[in-house]
Amino acid sequence: MEEPVTAEQLRARGNALFQAGDHGAALAAYTEALSLSDAAPERAVLHRNRAACYLKLEDYAKAEADATKAIEADGRDVKALFRRSQALQQLGRLDQAVGDLQRCVSLEPRNKAFQEALRALGSSMHEKMKTMSCTDSKVQQMFQILLDPKEEDADKKQKAVQNLIVLAREEAGAEKIFQSDGVRLLTQLLDTAKADLMLAALRTLVGLCSGHRSRTSAILAELGAPRLSAVLGVEHEQVSLAACNLLHVMFDSLKEGLQKDFRGKEDAVVLDSSRDLKLLIKHLLELLALEGASAHGRDNALNLLIKVVPRKSPKETNNSMSLWVIDQGLKKILEVGSTVCGSPGSLPVTENSRMSASVLLSKLYEDLKCDAERENFHHLCEDYVRGWFEGHELLGKLRAIQTVSCLLQGPLDAGNRVLELEGIMDSVLSLCASVCEAHQLVAVEALIHAADKAKRASFITANGVSLLKEIYKHSERDSIRIRALVGLCKLGSAGGTDFSMKQFAEGSTMKLAKQCRKWLCNEAIDAGTRRWAVEGLAYLTFDADVKEEFVEDKAAMQAMFHLAKSEDRSVLYAVASTLVNCTNSYDHEEPDPQMLELAKYAKQHIPEQHPKDKPEFVKRRVRKLLMAGVVSALACMVKSENPALTNSCRELISRVFLALVEEAEDRGGVVAQGGGKALIPLSLEGTEVGQTKAAQALAKITITSNPEMAFPGERIYEVVRPLVSLLHLQRTGLENFEGLMALTNLAGISERLRQKILKERAVPMIEGYMFEEHELIRLAATECMCNMAMSKEVQELFLAEGSDRLKLMVLYSGEEDEKLRRAASGTLAMLTALHPPICKRIPQVTVHWLEILQALLLSPSAELQHRGAVVVMNMMAAAREVAEQLIASEMLEILSVLAKDKDKPRVAQAAQESLAQAVAYGLIKPNPGQA
């Protein structure tokens, strides 16, 4: 039976992990040790050590708390005092940080580090006081202009307001505005109903609320949720969007806000923000069903609810906000989803509103955790549909059917449940024959959405084709015919990419596709109707013949891209699906040959690939798409803040981008048209598959392009996290390899980039891949470590007790694989030059060190010889005892020969310097032939 681990052992483990740079694991070890320790002095040390971990992890509030506990146990603990001062500086409490540093200096007056830190902090405080003084006068001056009733210069007033916006972005300025009765003034600006002043007020309030919970609560109390909701619902689109942005910032601050708050202010504020959050959400829900609210305001409210209500991650256990919204507001959301445009009393909506309602309903349904919660959701939906269907005559039936469409596009299970309600399907079929275009549109769209779920609706599978064909052939309205065609496309694509499973007769699919392209290019048809042509192509392009014809039709491609950039964002998924099909960027596994033989023997169906889906055809299609401008369309799609850009849609776009950068020669063009910039947000948000595909596309670009050109300015630092994500163990070998190659390029650029890679905790993963069996991955990891070794923190890791890092590098320098030897010996050359203590350690890590160095010097490769000569030169210079070991071996003879080699001047130079160092130590006599 194993001995129980002690607090002392855990502390030692934590110390070793901290020295190795694994601060998260060190923190866990110290925390476990605390749970086992009762002794006050030992607990104080553990709290002090945890403070050091939190500082490294940039959690300054917890660093301060732990350092305080250590100081409470021993007021003379200078390490804890110094760590608390560092945390206080980062939290903005400079006066308290000075107090701790002054105490450190009084306890250790000769400690230069403490003296220097105090001097630097004093200078920082002086600058802050100057800034505050300047800010005071600025705020007073601007308020004076805005409050002066005699001031008639509109430009002067506008400039004052713009200055307030800029000032509010800085913490000192935001606090000054807040303390100077600024919220009351900004409220007056909102109440002027003048768009420019309202925009300025809203943007200033964003600065005041960002990351600051106490200020946000106070501002909400003064402004009131009804006023904010009313501003969101105004007709002016920019004002509504600015109000949406303010509300989003307020939600974030109320949920997470303490980063910028100062001690003292929070004590007077109730920190339970759930009441404020529910108040805001209640007014957003009421806005949805408010007839006087603008269509844009309604869209913005839906967008906000999508972002702030559902849980961000399944790891969060509390879904109470979603449950509350379902109980309080599900029927209000369905009011938007069931709107029939042009009918009496219909709510003002945009072309995106119903799609946004579907996305919100889907998010809420996905956030439910048990059958009872889902059953409640179903009952509410069914009650709403029945409420319209029964007793409201024709308009009620239309609203009920529109609700079914909305649910089928969102929470599919709920859509199928209401589709099965008595009378719904019969009404859909009868209204398909209506003489009223608006009524027929509602019914045909419902039939199409139901056809999309054909496996669940057996009646449509059996009867849908003939019904839709009838509508397609005999309707005189293009708007109806195009929708009927989409239904046919959906039913006809049931075989997917399986060439042998086609629903329609030979040539029928091509005819449908040709008609879709014709409608798509017809600008006389409204964009909302042309969108359905893209929906049809999203299904028809499963067929390789359709793909080939589509990429030959440049006008159709460009018409689709133009639609993707339009305000109707509901087309995004269809465009992305079409592009995934054309580039074959969906997942497809090669079948096992043995299983194929067994399937043939059992006479089972075997999927077949279309001849035109072979790699050479796909490559040609990608080129055609690039020439037609696909990248700028995708970049525009990614910029969309609309709910239609769902996580699954983001994944499709990521797949397309990965296909577009497959060939190295295409990558420059993709970057030039905005592809690199668009990939960064795709790699940080969305499904895991989507993020990984986007990260791999970024890696491919980083490997073959100049990263500083591909990702200019600060953008290059945003690329690091996605690349590091490719190193996780669940990723494929190719993803690991490309991630390492890309990080190698970045690590060679600057120390700041190396620090970013360190901060993302990539080094332990890079080390892990140095032990990988696959030779290319092992080589890539070693090359990456070579560039990372330019950082002092990484150099220190090679000296950590119990570490085999240095031993591995020495042994790899003696491997047969020349590329691996080059990478490892290059790392040794750098380490020995930048960190001389490593030179003394090399003879201790392996008994083979001398023969490995000698083999490098005798290598036929001039590059390996040079690296070996530099390592020896650095070791000779580092310490006399190391030099003695080198000179006592055959190394002296090898160096003497190399020093005379005129064909390899760099090697000769290093060898000469090694010999000169041996002379200086008195280990050998000078060569009488030398000057």
Side-chain angles (χ1 to χ4, degrees):
M1 191 173 170
E2 286 187 15
E3 289 282 326
V5 68
T6 65
E8 192 175 339
Q9 288 170 327
L10 284 165
R11 190 177 99 189
R13 186 189 301 169
N15 292 345
L17 289 164
F18 189 89
Q19 287 296 324
D22 196 343
H23 305 119
L27 176 64
Y30 294 140
T31 303
E32 193 179 344
L34 267 171
S35 69
L36 299 175
S37 175
D38 295 322
E42 188 175 358
R43 288 181 68 80
V45 171
L46 289 166
H47 280 300
R48 184 179 74 198
N49 290 359
R50 285 209 321 178
C53 292
Y54 281 128
L55 283 172
K56 290 287 187 183
L57 296 169
E58 297 184 11
D59 193 338
Y60 302 115
K62 288 181 180 174
E64 184 221 350
D66 264 316
T68 299
K69 286 175 183 173
I71 294 162
E72 285 168 358
D74 179 6
R76 298 175 64 83
D77 186 337
V78 289
K79 284 186 179 178
L81 283 162
F82 185 64
R83 284 168 192 169
R84 188 168 74 174
S85 77
Q86 290 176 295
L88 289 166
Q89 282 181 64
Q90 295 296 333
L91 292 168
R93 286 148 49 191
L94 303 187
D95 51 342
Q96 291 172 299
V98 165
D100 280 349
L101 274 175
Q102 286 172 337
R103 177 83 173 135
C104 288
V105 171
S106 68
L107 290 168
E108 291 189 11
R110 294 185 180 179
N111 190 315
K112 289 183 179 177
F114 293 160
Q115 291 169 6
E116 183 56 39
L118 185 59
R119 194 160 37 247
L121 186 55
S123 172
S124 177
M125 281 195 73
H126 178 67
E127 285 298 314
K128 187 177 179 183
M129 291 305 292
K130 276 173 64 180
T131 303
M132 285 297 286
S133 172
C134 179
T135 302
D136 279 0
S137 60
K138 272 186 191 175
V139 172
Q140 286 165 9
Q141 187 182 14
M142 285 181 279
F143 276 12
Q144 203 169 8
I145 293 167
L146 291 165
L147 290 169
D148 185 358
K150 296 176 183 177
E151 181 59 69
E152 294 179 356
D153 188 339
D155 289 341
K156 196 172 180 182
K157 280 197 169 189
Q158 184 61 29
K159 190 174 180 183
V161 173
Q162 292 300 334
N163 287 340
L164 273 177
I165 296 170
V166 173
L167 196 61
R169 290 175 187 155
E170 301 167 6
E171 176 53 37
E175 186 64 16
K176 187 62 193 170
I177 293 169
F178 181 73
Q179 297 291 354
S180 304
D181 200 23
V183 181
R184 184 181 61 81
L185 172 70
L186 294 167
T187 306
Q188 288 178 12
L189 291 177
L190 279 178
D191 292 343
T192 62
K194 293 179 181 176
D196 54 346
L197 294 178
M198 291 176 79
L199 283 168
L202 290 165
R203 288 164 183 166
T204 304
L205 286 165
V206 165
L208 268 59
C209 293
S210 292
H212 206 301
R213 180 153 56 171
S214 58
R215 272 205 303 258
T216 302
S217 290
I219 288 166
L220 178 58
E222 187 156 344
L223 283 175
R227 180 187 270 111
L228 287 167
S229 177
V231 175
L232 183 67
V234 299
E235 285 292 343
H236 196 286
E237 198 173 336
Q238 277 188 300
V239 171
S240 177
L241 195 60
C244 178
N245 187 34
L246 170 60
L247 283 164
H248 195 192
V249 167
M250 293 178 90
F251 274 114
D252 284 348
S253 298
L254 289 170
K255 276 183 165 182
E256 301 159 9
L258 293 169
Q259 297 97 320
K260 295 182 184 175
D261 286 9
F262 295 93
R263 180 185 279 177
K265 288 186 198 147
E266 291 299 336
D267 299 340
V269 179
V270 177
L271 293 182
D272 179 13
S273 299
S274 60
R275 188 179 62 83
D276 286 342
L277 288 167
K278 282 186 176 178
L279 181 66
L280 284 173
I281 290 170
K282 176 174 173 284
H283 282 86
L284 289 178
L285 291 168
E286 287 174 359
L287 176 71
L288 295 182
L290 194 67
E291 285 185 27
S294 68
H296 294 295
R298 193 167 277 104
D299 279 3
N300 287 329
L302 286 166
N303 207 350
L304 265 173
L305 290 166
I306 289 166
K307 288 175 179 174
V308 303
V309 174
R311 291 171 294 167
K312 300 285 185 210
S313 161
K315 292 177 184 174
E316 296 175 36
T317 55
N318 186 0
N319 69 339
S320 60
M321 192 61 79
S322 288
L323 295 175
W324 185 81
V325 167
I326 289 167
D327 286 337
Q328 299 293 315
L330 184 66
K331 293 190 177 180
K332 293 182 176 71
I333 301 165
L334 290 172
E335 282 290 299
V336 181
S338 68
T339 297
V340 178
C341 295
S343 63
S346 64
L347 294 171
V349 292
T350 70
E351 58 270 22
N352 296 310
S353 303
R354 287 199 297 275
M355 175 58 77
S356 297
S358 293
V359 172
L360 176 55
L361 290 166
S362 183
K363 295 268 186 188
L364 291 171
Y365 189 77
E366 288 167 8
D367 208 32
L368 301 179
K369 296 194 291 187
C370 64
D371 288 343
E373 292 174 0
R374 284 184 277 273
E375 201 57 37
N376 176 55
F377 188 98
H378 289 310
H379 283 314
L380 289 169
C381 292
E382 288 167 8
D383 288 347
Y384 182 84
V385 171
R386 281 198 198 95
W388 275 112
F389 194 73
E390 297 167 3
H392 282 85
E393 298 182 345
L394 181 59
L395 178 60
K397 286 181 170 53
L398 288 169
R399 292 288 296 268
I401 293 168
Q402 195 79 300
T403 308
V404 173
S405 286
C406 177
L407 289 167
L408 284 169
Q409 290 177 88
L412 173 58
D413 288 344
N416 278 317
R417 281 274 291 258
V418 293
L419 189 63
E420 290 162 13
L421 291 175
E422 189 178 348
I424 296 288
M425 203 64 226
D426 291 336
S427 292
V428 170
L429 296 176
S430 64
L431 282 168
C432 280
S434 172
V435 292
C436 173
E437 182 178 3
H439 299 171
Q440 199 177 12
L441 281 176
V442 170
V444 172
E445 284 186 20
L447 190 63
I448 292 164
H449 295 311
D452 197 13
K453 325 299 184 277
K455 288 183 181 177
R456 295 292 298 272
S458 55
F459 172 83
I460 298 170
T461 308
N463 303 284
V465 174
S466 58
L467 181 65
L468 290 167
K469 274 185 180 176
E470 196 67 22
I471 296 169
Y472 176 60
K473 286 177 182 176
H474 298 109
S475 176
E476 295 176 4
R477 305 183 187 103
D478 277 348
S479 59
I480 301 296
R481 293 185 68 224
I482 196 168
R483 286 162 171 80
L485 183 145
V486 172
L488 289 169
C489 295
K490 289 183 175 186
L491 291 169
S493 63
T497 57
D498 183 356
F499 179 46
S500 61
M501 285 280 287
K502 291 300 161 196
Q503 303 290 313
F504 292 163
E506 190 71 35
S508 297
T509 305
M510 298 296 287
K511 286 178 187 173
L512 290 174
K514 188 175 181 181
Q515 185 61 59
C516 278
R517 297 202 313 274
K518 184 180 171 184
W519 272 322
L520 181 58
C521 295
N522 186 353
E523 293 186 10
I525 301 174
D526 67 278
T529 301
R530 287 162 63 214
R531 168 177 72 83
W532 286 93
V534 185
E535 291 271 357
L537 288 169
Y539 288 89
L540 292 171
T541 47
F542 280 124
D543 187 306
D545 288 315
V546 173
K547 300 178 201 183
E548 286 293 311
E549 277 205 0
F550 179 65
V551 298
E552 292 299 332
D553 190 341
K554 193 171 183 180
M557 285 192 288
Q558 291 181 334
M560 184 175 81
F561 298 156
H562 184 70
L563 273 180
K565 298 175 185 178
S566 71
E567 285 190 16
D568 184 357
R569 313 310 283 174
S570 55
V571 77
L572 295 183
Y573 193 86
V575 172
S577 299
T578 304
L579 293 172
V580 164
N581 291 341
C582 288
T583 56
N584 282 35
S585 47
Y586 37 71
D587 288 328
H588 43 85
E589 293 179 12
E590 290 298 321
D592 184 333
Q594 273 189 314
M595 295 306 291
L596 277 179
E597 289 302 317
L598 283 171
K600 284 178 187 175
Y601 179 75
K603 296 184 179 176
Q604 289 182 354
H605 171 69
I606 301 166
E608 293 177 26
Q609 186 189 43
H610 196 292
K612 291 181 182 176
D613 270 335
K614 290 182 178 175
E616 60 268 27
F617 284 91
V618 176
K619 185 176 175 181
R620 196 179 64 83
R621 289 201 294 265
V622 166
R623 285 282 161 80
K624 295 272 186 184
L625 287 166
L626 286 167
M627 287 164 63
V630 67
V631 176
S632 61
L634 290 171
C636 189
M637 289 163 72
V638 173
K639 286 179 192 170
S640 169
E641 279 294 313
N642 194 279
L645 188 68
T646 58
N647 285 343
S648 53
C649 186
R650 297 171 76 91
E651 180 184 316
L652 294 179
I653 296 170
S654 297
R655 287 177 180 276
V656 177
F657 265 125
L658 184 56
L660 295 178
V661 298
E662 185 62 37
E663 301 297 324
E665 60 265 33
D666 296 331
R667 294 169 193 169
V670 170
V671 170
Q673 294 174 58
K677 183 180 179 182
L679 278 164
I680 294 171
L682 289 172
S683 67
L684 297 171
E685 187 182 341
T687 66
E688 189 175 352
V689 171
Q691 289 182 60
T692 304
K693 301 281 183 192
Q696 194 180 359
L698 284 171
K700 287 179 185 289
I701 290 168
T702 309
I703 290 166
T704 55
S705 311
N706 177 349
E708 291 174 290
M709 298 282 284
F711 309 106
E714 292 297 302
R715 202 174 297 153
I716 195 169
Y717 302 99
E718 296 175 48
V719 176
V720 173
R721 181 172 296 172
L723 295 181
V724 172
S725 74
L726 294 175
L727 305 189
H728 295 151
L729 290 173
Q730 64 268 39
R731 303 286 175 259
T732 65
L734 178 61
E735 289 162 358
N736 298 154
F737 173 71
E738 290 183 333
L740 288 164
M741 292 276 285
L743 287 169
T744 302
N745 275 5
L746 293 185
I749 291 172
S750 70
E751 179 57 24
R752 188 179 164 198
L753 272 167
R754 288 190 287 275
Q755 287 298 321
K756 177 68 176 169
I757 295 169
L758 276 164
K759 190 177 172 183
E760 293 295 336
R761 301 175 194 173
V763 170
M765 290 187 275
I766 296 167
E767 284 179 344
Y769 287 114
M770 287 174 65
F771 293 91
E772 176 67 41
E773 285 184 24
H774 196 291
E775 59 184 29
L776 287 176
I777 294 177
R778 187 171 66 229
L779 171 63
T782 308
E783 287 177 339
C784 191
M785 187 59 73
C786 179
N787 283 354
M788 287 300 296
M790 288 187 267
S791 282
K792 192 164 182 62
E793 289 94 327
V794 177
Q795 294 160 20
E796 292 289 350
L797 293 177
F798 281 86
L799 288 174
E801 287 298 326
S803 162
D804 282 335
R805 295 180 183 94
L806 187 58
K807 179 180 180 179
L808 187 66
M809 279 299 175
V810 175
L811 292 174
Y812 276 1
S813 298
E815 283 282 312
E816 288 182 12
D817 181 342
E818 188 174 318
K819 288 182 179 177
L820 183 61
R821 287 180 79 192
R822 200 184 304 152
S825 57
T827 308
L828 284 181
M830 192 178 301
L831 287 170
T832 52
L834 297 173
H835 206 57
I838 285 174
C839 298
K840 296 180 184 178
R841 182 67 68 85
I842 288 174
Q844 301 166 20
V845 295
T846 172
V847 293
H848 304 291
W849 69 280
L850 258 176
E851 62 185 84
I852 288 169
L853 289 178
Q854 288 170 4
L856 285 172
L857 291 173
L858 294 171
S859 168
S861 163
E863 197 173 349
L864 284 176
Q865 273 192 314
H866 179 246
R867 291 177 185 206
V870 169
V871 173
V872 172
M873 177 183 74
N874 294 334
M875 291 178 72
M876 292 283 289
R880 179 188 168 91
E881 61 268 27
V882 177
E884 282 177 343
Q885 288 176 274
L886 287 163
I887 294 300
S889 70
E890 294 172 8
M891 190 66 75
L892 176 60
E893 187 181 340
I894 296 169
L895 289 170
S896 301
V897 173
L898 291 176
K900 298 170 187 171
D901 192 340
K902 293 178 182 177
D903 294 331
K904 298 171 184 171
R906 291 195 306 161
V907 176
Q909 176 70 27
Q912 288 162 16
E913 288 188 28
S914 295
L915 293 171
Q917 190 64 57
V919 171
Y921 286 140
L923 298 174
I924 60 172
K925 292 180 181 177
N927 187 340
Q930 288 180 338

